């Protein structure tokens, strides 16, 4: 079966660092995406990991361990505008992407 | 960049009517587009994969006779919700696969919010 798990909600303080974890069990794996989605809007691309390790892009970093079926998204210097849902998605091949339920992040002042 | 548009952005219709949603890739050609549905506070659920010039591939549990997909050109896919009912009310999002780059990335449209009364 296909299973992607991430926490439902997280709360963090402006200026802090937050890590959003994602574990997956899928029938195929070609890469892992992280998307940001604000309420009522479509997802926007944040990162894509194919190989193990950490990919850094500004305030956002994403980590992947394929052997453990594990990824995390790290957000630094949190800003109020970072309040959104963060979706972990696995590209299983055959052009198919499976999404996790998303983690709603609340950033408080 | 890669831009995907959807039309309409929102629609309200009566139960039993049909609604057509368009998905267009504006600055690239997409042989493959995807249709997702998202209920409040839930994730995106893939409904079907739309392939230009051929029949769509539907996910298990999605009624192909109810959700008609037509991918007539390399820049346009349409989803028609036939005989819509209140339980079909949802946020419908399309994405288009950009084959130009090394990263096999999907670009999402802005979504269409459907409310069936």
């Amino acid at each position: 079966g296909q299973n992607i798990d991430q926490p439902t909600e997280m709360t963090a303080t402006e200026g802090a660092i937050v890590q959003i974890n994602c574990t997956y069990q899928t029938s195929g794996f070609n890469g892992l995406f992280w998307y940001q989605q604000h309420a009522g809007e479509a997802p926007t691309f944040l990162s894509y990991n194919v190989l193990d390790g950490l990919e850094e892009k500004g305030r956002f970093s994403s980590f992947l361990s394929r052997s453990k079926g594990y990824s995390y998204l790290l957000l630094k210097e949190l800003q109020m505008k970072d309040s959104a849902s963060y979706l972990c998605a696995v590209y299983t091949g055959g052009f198919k992407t499976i999404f996790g339920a998303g983690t709603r992040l609340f950033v408080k002042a | 960049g890669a831009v995907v548009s959807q039309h309409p952005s929102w629609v309200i219709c009566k139960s039993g009517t049909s609604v057509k949603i368009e998905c267009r890739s504006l600055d690239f050609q997409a042989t493959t587009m995807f249709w997702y549905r998202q209920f409040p506070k839930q994730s995106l659920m893939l409904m079907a994969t739309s392939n230009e010039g051929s029949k769509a591939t539907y996910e298990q549990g999605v009624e192909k006779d109810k959700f008609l997909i037509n991918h007539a050109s390399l820049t346009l896919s349409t989803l028609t919700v036939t005989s819509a009912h209140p339980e079909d009310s949802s946020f419908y999002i399309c994405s288009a696969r950009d084959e130009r780059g090394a990263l096999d990335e999907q670009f999402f449209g802005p979504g269409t919010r459907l409310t069936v009364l």
Side-chain angles (χ1 to χ4, degrees):
Chain A
Q2 317 279 37
N3 196 42
I4 300 177
D5 288 318
Q6 34 180 148
T8 305
E9 289 185 0
M10 298 182 72
T11 301
T13 305
E14 192 175 18
I17 299 173
V18 70
Q19 178 175 312
I20 302 174
N21 296 322
C22 170
T23 58
Y24 62 89
Q25 289 178 305
T26 56
S27 57
F29 181 87
N30 286 322
L32 189 142
F33 289 98
W34 283 97
Y35 289 91
Q36 180 190 62
Q37 185 179 25
H38 286 97
E41 299 180 9
T44 55
F45 171 82
L46 291 178
S47 66
Y48 181 55
N49 292 66
V50 177
L51 302 176
D52 289 355
L54 185 68
E55 298 262 351
E56 298 188 72
K57 189 186 296 184
R59 294 191 298 115
F60 295 73
S61 302
S62 56
F63 172 84
L64 175 67
S65 170
R66 289 173 299 172
S67 61
K68 295 182 180 179
Y70 168 69
S71 173
Y72 67 73
L73 179 69
L74 193 70
L75 292 77
K76 304 176 184 176
E77 301 170 15
L78 279 174
Q79 301 175 10
M80 300 298 288
K81 66 178 182 179
D82 296 329
S83 294
S85 288
Y86 291 86
L87 308 178
C88 171
V90 173
Y91 183 48
T92 61
F95 314 135
K96 188 175 290 189
T97 303
I98 299 172
F99 285 81
T103 298
R104 297 179 70 199
L105 175 65
F106 298 94
V107 180
K108 59 182 181 179
Chain B
V3 181
V4 177
S5 70
Q6 271 184 251
H7 178 80
S9 55
W10 60 270
V11 58
I12 301 173
C13 69
K14 293 182 179 180
S15 185
T17 60
S18 294
V19 174
K20 180 186 283 189
I21 303 171
E22 293 185 348
C23 177
R24 293 182 185 273
S25 56
L26 297 185
D27 53 358
F28 67 102
Q29 294 182 330
T31 56
T32 307
M33 292 184 175
F34 304 91
W35 286 98
Y36 295 85
R37 181 168 52 182
Q38 187 177 34
F39 292 106
K41 297 186 179 181
Q42 295 187 24
S43 188
L44 279 73
M45 297 300 296
L46 179 65
M47 299 175 65
T49 302
S50 173
N51 302 297
E52 188 269 336
S54 64
K55 291 183 179 180
T57 303
Y58 290 82
E59 293 301 300
Q60 192 173 7
V62 178
E63 299 175 58
K64 57 183 178 182
D65 294 331
K66 180 171 181 62
F67 299 98
L68 301 179
I69 292 173
N70 188 335
H71 195 152
S73 77
L74 287 172
T75 59
L76 173 64
S77 175
T78 60
L79 169 68
T80 301
V81 183
T82 62
S83 186
H85 288 92
E87 57 265 29
D88 298 324
S89 298
S90 186
F91 192 47
Y92 291 86
I93 305 176
C94 74
S95 71
R97 179 171 164 260
D98 186 353
E99 303 165 27
R100 296 172 298 177
L103 174 60
D104 202 2
E105 188 176 343
Q106 293 181 48
F107 292 88
F108 288 88
T112 297
R113 186 161 301 283
L114 170 64
T115 301
V116 185
L117 303 176

